[in-house]
Amino acid sequence: MGYRLLIPAYVGVCLARYTDGFSFNPLPSRVQHRPAFSKTRTLGKTDDSETASGGLDVPFFASFSASGDLSTTTVTTRVPLGTLFDSRDYIFCTATNVRGYEWTLKETDQLFDDLSDVAVGASPNAHKGDYELSQIVLVPTEWDRTLYGIGHRYDVHDGQQRLVTLCLLLGALRESFRNESGMAATVEELTSMLNPPKVRKEPVLRIALRKRDNDILSRILLPDLIDDGDNTPYLNLPHAKECKVLTLANKRILENFNRLLSRATDLTKEARLKLLDYLVEHVYLLVCVPETAMIARNIVMSQGKGMDNEPIDDFKGLVCFRYTSKEDDMYSTFDKWDELAGLPDDNAAVGRDIVASACLLRAAADLRSKIRRNDEVFALENWLRQDLIQNGYEGKEFFQKQVQPASLALKRFRDGSYDSFSWSNNSNGKLRDTITMRLRFLRRLTANIASTKELEMLILELLLRGGGTQGHKALSLKHLDEYLHTVEVAALWMITDGPSPVQRYQRCFDILDAINDESEDLKLSEEENSNLKNELVSFEFGATATGKKTALALLERLNSFVLIDSGLETLPESSAKQVEHILPANTSGKYWKEHWPSENDKDEWTHRLGNMVLLSQKATVTKMRKGFTDKLQRYEAEVWPLTRGLSKVNAWDKEALLEQQQLYNGLIFMAWGL
């Protein structure tokens, strides 16, 4: 078919050795100062054991706001292990820590070797000084004085692995002394360190993990003993066959405890007592206690720790634990999140990066705010709280209604899996193909052109609404097509006009508002429309790598427009391999000197869109520099209609280039109604 014969019609129409991770960022104290939550406030101080809601009809998390004083204090104290484990002044919890217990036998053996060597070994450094076990970062959390008496509980942001392993070491020493004569007082001392007693108060463990990972640790710390009647009680711990059903954290705790018990038992009684005394008197930790979790996270990150922990991991902890009240729901949501964020596969796993991007895009769209890198956790929580307050549900439902569908939709868009969307089954084939064409164009731009990346928040909004998953009636195919048309025009404006990030975000927010209001007033102003047309004509697409990527996306879009409008099937995205300058930038050949004698003309037109064609097969540099007559053999064999249409051109001079530019301009103006 002579595709070039179609053209006149279009134109006419026109640091430390033992380092730990850190927990997610609990509720920042400054949340209550955000205007978005002026309707939800702390309802007054209560006793330690009470919530701030006082039984009133407010979200269960409304009591988590801290003091309104924006000034903060961070206190760092060098504390010996004996003081840290002496009373209830330091009770630790990691129940909201996204990381579990991860130390293996390697790290456990290394810690034991270091401590035993300096305490009882033959090393020249033995007993020469104190042992510094680096810094731990703690954030004060709820403590019920009525139940537990005077004391403090801290959320461990850095130090979980060391604190748990130290507890296991003390527990191993306790059990090594248990059935030895004359050691009852030492056993009682060690038991008190791990399970500090308080008369007329409830028992409390030195450290507690999340409940399903806390089983073995709690049995060791209590301790949970079995006495067979021979006066040799022993810990009630599972045997090898029973370990198969344990969580990974429980398995590691059991394995490390057994290793420490074995190694402690290998020491003489005197050596074990020396080790215990050294632990209590000479092992120090720097205890850093900032007022807020946000400060704690910044401290940990500044030390180079937790670098594998991203803001999305902190947000995961918030959704699954802080803002979900039922324990079973906490763990089921946590597991489902892990499945979603797993390595991408065909079983609804999309990967952590996709989940993070989807959440940030949805948060920016709902909050109508650009999210800066340092504010990601705070902004994500802001979005979470706003959604929970508006809809009256918890973190479990938030994951099901927001995180999961947004992540799946974004993955399908970025993969180009458009057939996975419900609208792809619509019987209106031409409209369906047009929507797919628009998405392909936008996908290529947002994946390669940084100045269009913000548009993903609009695309994701429309894809979710297209499936009726945002609490709205599903968009009709017609409206979905119209809105995507608007997003395409916004993309062209962003590429050619060079707006600032603030302007780009504001344009996205304006379009979101128009979509919410079901407004049809989404067009560019007359001035913007005129500027866009002028820029598309004069823009030098071929001058930069980014410009060439834009030209590839644009030419693929125009070729697909011709195919769909002609009633033909579009070609797969993989068919667009390369854009080529017809008049090469290096014009040393004889053909080009004859047809382009003016250097000024060459400089003016070489990088314009009219001098570029789309190829389905990559060409070598040698082929791209040949004369037009030689290039025609490749162009005539092309699958793209606008490239194949060049077979009707006899020579490539300024007149032919201007005609091709006019052709492209006409198609652009038609495709987007400019």
Side-chain angles (χ1 to χ4, degrees):
M1 181 177 181
Y3 292 102
R4 192 163 185 85
L5 297 179
L6 297 172
I7 303 310
Y10 291 114
V11 176
V13 179
C14 264
L15 128 144
R17 186 172 188 176
Y18 304 106
T19 59
D20 304 317
F22 55 91
S23 65
F24 77 93
N25 184 0
L27 182 66
S29 62
R30 70 173 187 268
V31 162
Q32 67 188 72
H33 298 282
R34 296 291 289 238
F37 299 113
S38 59
K39 294 182 179 179
T40 300
R41 56 184 187 211
T42 304
L43 300 176
K45 299 277 185 177
T46 66
D47 292 338
D48 295 277
S49 61
E50 298 173 351
T51 64
S53 62
L56 297 178
D57 186 18
V58 297
F60 74 91
F61 54 81
S63 61
F64 294 159
S65 293
S67 168
D69 185 5
L70 288 177
S71 62
T72 59
T73 303
T74 297
V75 178
T76 300
T77 310
R78 183 173 178 264
V79 181
L81 193 65
T83 299
L84 204 65
F85 280 46
D86 181 46
S87 64
R88 297 190 174 191
D89 285 342
Y90 290 97
I91 300 298
F92 309 110
C93 69
T94 63
T96 54
N97 198 314
V98 174
R99 282 183 66 182
Y101 181 70
E102 298 175 352
W103 269 20
T104 63
L105 292 176
K106 177 183 177 181
E107 291 83 15
T108 302
D109 279 338
Q110 189 175 34
L111 178 61
F112 186 87
D113 288 341
D114 284 357
L115 292 173
S116 60
D117 182 58
V118 73
V120 300
S123 168
N125 293 324
H127 297 290
K128 293 297 183 181
D130 298 327
Y131 188 94
E132 305 296 339
L133 202 52
S134 192
Q135 177 175 272
I136 61 175
V137 180
L138 314 173
V139 174
T141 187
E142 298 89 350
W143 175 259
D144 191 334
R145 182 178 294 188
T146 303
L147 283 178
Y148 303 116
I150 295 175
H152 300 90
R153 191 190 305 274
Y154 296 93
D155 190 11
V156 182
H157 279 239
D158 181 30
Q160 174 186 196
Q161 313 300 321
R162 283 166 288 157
L163 288 171
V164 171
T165 307
L166 286 170
C167 286
L168 296 180
L169 176 56
L170 293 173
L173 288 171
R174 180 196 63 204
E175 295 310 306
S176 73
F177 291 123
R178 183 172 298 283
N179 295 310
E180 294 185 350
S181 60
M183 300 305 297
T186 300
V187 171
E188 183 61 29
E189 175 192 1
L190 285 161
T191 300
S192 297
M193 293 175 72
L194 300 174
N195 185 5
K198 184 77 71 171
V199 177
R200 298 183 303 280
K201 299 298 179 182
E202 292 293 319
V204 64
L205 300 179
R206 178 62 62 192
I207 190 168
L209 307 179
R210 293 197 300 267
K211 185 173 181 180
R212 68 175 177 181
D213 292 338
N214 201 49
D215 179 37
I216 302 301
L217 182 62
S218 63
R219 293 196 210 181
I220 294 170
L221 300 189
L222 278 172
D224 182 10
L225 298 174
I226 296 177
D227 190 343
D228 292 333
D230 57 358
N231 294 321
T232 56
Y234 57 91
L235 279 176
N236 178 21
L237 296 176
H239 300 292
K241 292 183 179 179
E242 301 174 276
C243 291
K244 294 180 180 179
V245 299
L246 295 177
T247 66
L248 182 58
N250 276 305
K251 289 179 181 178
R252 285 175 172 158
I253 289 170
L254 180 60
E255 187 177 48
N256 288 343
F257 174 75
N258 286 332
R259 174 63 67 87
L260 291 169
L261 179 57
S262 174
R263 298 200 62 180
T265 305
D266 288 342
L267 299 175
T268 65
K269 180 191 294 186
E270 290 73 16
R272 277 178 276 149
L273 288 172
K274 282 185 179 180
L275 176 58
L276 175 58
D277 286 341
Y278 189 82
L279 287 172
V280 170
E281 299 169 8
H282 294 284
V283 173
Y284 281 81
L285 292 96
L286 282 177
V287 180
C288 177
V289 185
E291 282 192 359
T292 69
M294 182 173 290
I295 298 174
R297 186 178 196 279
N298 290 338
I299 291 172
V300 175
M301 291 296 290
S302 69
Q303 294 172 343
K305 301 181 182 180
M307 297 305 290
D308 60 339
N309 197 89
E310 295 291 336
I312 192 62
D313 300 312
D314 295 354
F315 186 54
K316 170 185 174 183
L318 287 169
V319 174
C320 297
F321 298 113
R322 177 66 79 179
Y323 290 97
T324 300
S325 58
K326 294 182 179 179
E327 191 171 293
D328 289 344
D329 291 342
M330 291 180 184
Y331 294 121
S332 66
T333 304
F334 186 86
D335 290 339
K336 289 176 182 176
W337 191 304
D338 275 348
E339 292 173 6
L340 181 69
L343 292 176
D345 57 21
D346 295 329
N347 298 317
V350 302
R352 184 173 73 164
D353 289 345
I354 290 288
V355 176
S357 295
C359 288
L360 289 170
L361 290 169
R362 297 302 300 139
D366 281 4
L367 298 174
R368 300 293 196 271
S369 174
K370 178 183 178 182
I371 298 175
R372 294 175 176 82
R373 176 67 181 174
N374 291 339
D375 293 333
E376 285 182 3
V377 176
F378 182 59
L380 288 169
E381 185 182 12
N382 203 343
W383 169 48
L384 168 64
R385 286 172 59 89
Q386 177 174 283
D387 190 73
L388 266 56
I389 291 171
Q390 289 176 349
N391 294 290
Y393 50 52
E394 296 187 4
K396 173 188 175 182
E397 291 78 15
F398 178 84
F399 172 78
Q400 294 170 345
K401 296 178 182 296
Q402 292 281 4
V403 177
Q404 190 172 41
S407 300
L408 292 172
L410 184 61
K411 178 69 163 58
R412 291 165 186 163
F413 168 69
R414 288 186 176 179
D415 286 350
S417 302
Y418 311 119
D419 291 342
S420 302
F421 293 104
S422 58
W423 49 262
S424 66
N425 298 318
N426 192 282
S427 58
N428 189 332
K430 184 174 181 179
L431 190 54
R432 182 187 62 231
D433 290 346
T434 300
I435 290 173
T436 301
M437 173 182 65
R438 296 190 193 281
L439 288 172
R440 284 170 55 167
F441 176 62
L442 291 168
R443 172 177 176 263
R444 196 176 285 278
L445 289 181
T446 54
N448 296 292
I449 314 301
S451 61
T452 65
K453 197 66 178 175
E454 296 88 349
L455 293 173
E456 277 195 326
M457 78 172 79
L458 294 174
I459 298 164
L460 185 55
E461 175 80 19
L462 292 173
L463 291 175
L464 291 170
R465 291 198 183 203
T469 57
Q470 289 300 300
H472 302 276
K473 181 181 177 181
L475 283 176
S476 67
L477 219 59
K478 177 178 178 293
H479 284 106
L480 179 59
D481 179 62
E482 290 173 352
Y483 289 136
L484 286 173
H485 170 275
T486 300
V487 178
E488 285 186 303
V489 174
L492 296 174
W493 170 74
M494 290 178 177
I495 292 168
T496 59
D497 201 51
S500 67
V502 172
Q503 291 172 316
R504 297 198 301 266
Y505 269 96
Q506 190 56 55
R507 176 57 57 90
C508 290
F509 298 149
D510 289 343
I511 295 174
L512 284 170
D513 289 340
I515 293 171
N516 282 338
D517 297 338
E518 298 182 354
S519 171
E520 297 182 0
D521 186 20
L522 297 171
K523 296 181 180 179
L524 297 176
S525 67
E526 289 187 10
E527 181 180 356
E528 289 175 329
N529 190 66
S530 176
N531 290 340
L532 178 56
K533 288 196 291 186
N534 292 333
E535 286 293 334
L536 287 170
V537 172
S538 61
F539 195 83
E540 293 194 331
F541 290 93
T544 64
T546 298
K548 291 175 184 177
K549 292 175 182 177
T550 303
L552 190 148
L554 193 53
L555 290 176
E556 181 191 10
R557 173 70 169 83
L558 296 180
N559 276 274
S560 297
F561 176 72
V562 170
L563 290 172
I564 291 175
D565 206 63
S566 302
L568 301 174
E569 291 187 4
T570 57
L571 299 170
E573 284 181 275
S574 58
S575 299
K577 299 289 188 182
Q578 186 180 33
V579 288
E580 178 180 324
H581 289 76
I582 304 174
L583 165 66
N586 184 341
T587 57
S588 58
K590 179 180 178 181
Y591 180 92
W592 299 114
K593 289 182 178 180
E594 291 178 356
H595 290 80
W596 288 85
S598 170
E599 290 295 328
N600 290 336
D601 285 346
K602 284 191 293 186
D603 291 342
E604 182 179 359
W605 291 100
T606 296
H607 298 302
R608 301 288 183 90
L609 189 64
N611 188 47
M612 307 187 80
V613 289
L614 182 64
L615 303 178
S616 59
Q617 300 293 330
K618 288 189 176 181
T620 64
V621 174
T622 301
K623 288 183 178 180
M624 288 190 289
R625 288 179 177 175
K626 286 185 176 293
F628 182 70
T629 306
D630 295 321
K631 291 187 175 191
L632 275 182
Q633 295 179 351
R634 291 189 290 115
Y635 296 165
E636 289 172 351
E638 266 298 333
V639 297
W640 296 107
L642 296 178
T643 304
R644 193 161 66 244
L646 289 171
S647 62
K648 307 299 181 183
V649 178
N650 295 322
W652 194 255
D653 50 20
K654 182 177 178 181
E655 182 180 349
L657 191 153
L658 291 174
E659 182 182 344
Q660 189 74 359
Q661 181 73 49
Q662 185 181 17
L663 162 65
Y664 287 161
N665 292 345
L667 290 173
I668 289 172
F669 301 158
M670 263 196 90
W672 288 295
L674 299 178

